[in-house]
Amino acid sequence: MCLAHLTVLDTTPPELVSVAAAAGFRTIGIRLTATPSVGVPPYDVLHEGPMLRETLLRLADTGVSVLDTEFLRFEPEHPVGVPERFLDVSARLGAKHVLVMSAEPEDERTLERFGELCDSAAQYDLTVGLEFAIYTGVRTLAHAADIVARSKRSNASVLIDALHFSRSGGVPAHVARIDPSLIRYAQVCDAGPDMPGPGDTSALIREARTGRLLPGDGVLPLAELMAALPAGVPVAIEAPCRATADLPALERAKRAYRALSALAGA
């Protein structure tokens, strides 16, 4: 079980390590790039300095490991999709995967850039997870699986996020339609019954960033989704909840741990 950074996004990477360990998590996902535009205090963990050093020290002291680093995005207006040192720092942190989304409108361009990223990541023994969402260039599970299969890269994978999966029309039975070897890990949260319209991008993004719910607090078929995932696949909880945003990060992490534990045991 893994604590995704978005659940307690107001923490810096070293704070995330400590909060996760205190809440019971042994694995985390770290956002290496933080932007004030989404309410995240800026920090610099991509270069040598106190933030990176302290993160590495706390990982060593707590025994917490890093499942993935986030997140990369292919933007048509930015032909270079990997920030300097992103892969190097990911490897130094001991991450197994890096996460990418694509805003490219053309599949062929996404495929080209995804292949290049996989090749670069392979040099660091990193797997690349392609995350899909209905408001991005890769909209559904089937679409993402097609891109990954066509890339023909051994370190390419599909990332299923329960919210994006549901909002793109996905149901647990769809998971069985793709090659299980393409799924290396997954992210879960719950959501309410009032789904934004598929064309309401701003509402969908707002829900994804601040309007998720803890497993068991919404209506998504999470037990069925968990059962459909390949056996042994790590699962991260990514559940930023607007209603509890004012609680201390440790309390939010503890609640996330209890919810994910209950779901994993269901």
Side-chain angles (χ1 to χ4, degrees):
M1 300 195 304
C2 171
L3 178 64
H5 207 158
L6 191 60
T7 306
V8 287
L9 194 54
D10 50 322
T11 61
T12 63
E15 290 168 347
L16 170 66
V17 177
S18 297
V19 164
F25 288 96
R26 306 306 300 162
T27 307
I28 57 174
I30 295 182
R31 286 206 169 198
L32 298 186
T33 53
T35 56
S37 63
V38 294
V40 184
Y43 52 76
D44 182 6
V45 75
L46 288 179
H47 298 89
E48 294 297 336
M51 189 69 68
L52 178 57
R53 288 196 298 270
E54 186 62 24
T55 302
L56 291 167
L57 284 172
R58 294 196 194 189
L59 287 171
D61 288 344
T62 61
V64 169
S65 62
V66 178
L67 178 65
D68 77 341
T69 52
E70 303 183 0
F71 77 93
L72 302 173
R73 186 176 175 89
F74 299 144
E75 301 279 4
E77 62 271 26
H78 299 297
V80 178
V82 184
E84 183 183 3
R85 292 178 51 83
F86 190 99
L87 297 177
D88 176 66
V89 169
S90 296
R92 288 183 62 185
L93 292 170
K96 295 178 173 63
H97 314 278
V98 295
L99 185 155
V100 66
M101 300 183 83
S102 179
E104 289 282 3
E106 301 294 334
D107 276 7
E108 291 308 313
R109 184 61 179 144
T110 291
L111 181 62
E112 177 184 1
R113 297 183 70 172
F114 183 71
E116 291 171 352
L117 174 58
C118 287
D119 291 344
S120 296
Q123 299 176 46
Y124 296 90
D125 294 323
L126 292 164
T127 293
V128 181
L130 178 60
E131 184 173 8
F132 59 92
I134 196 169
Y135 52 83
T136 69
V138 182
R139 298 168 60 84
T140 66
L141 173 60
H143 192 179
D146 178 65
I147 294 289
V148 170
R150 288 170 59 198
S151 77
K152 295 181 170 59
R153 275 21 181 228
S154 61
N155 64 332
S157 66
V158 175
L159 176 66
I160 297 176
D161 175 298
L163 179 68
H164 296 319
F165 182 53
S166 172
R167 294 328 191 205
S168 65
V171 296
H174 292 164
V175 178
R177 299 178 185 174
I178 69 169
D179 182 348
S181 69
L182 299 183
I183 303 173
R184 310 292 176 89
Y185 70 108
Q187 295 175 334
V188 297
C189 67
D190 219 328
D194 298 326
M195 172 182 170
D200 193 345
T201 298
S202 60
L204 287 163
I205 292 175
R206 186 165 56 249
E207 179 185 45
R209 288 178 177 170
T210 64
R212 300 171 185 244
L213 301 175
L214 293 176
D217 290 347
V219 299
L220 300 187
L222 296 179
E224 292 84 352
L225 176 59
M226 292 281 283
L229 294 172
V233 165
V235 176
I237 184 164
E238 185 172 76
C241 307
R242 189 178 302 111
T244 58
D246 291 335
L247 292 176
L250 178 56
E251 176 60 25
R252 282 175 276 144
K254 287 180 176 178
R255 293 186 181 197
Y257 184 82
R258 291 195 295 267
L260 186 55
S261 297
L263 176 62

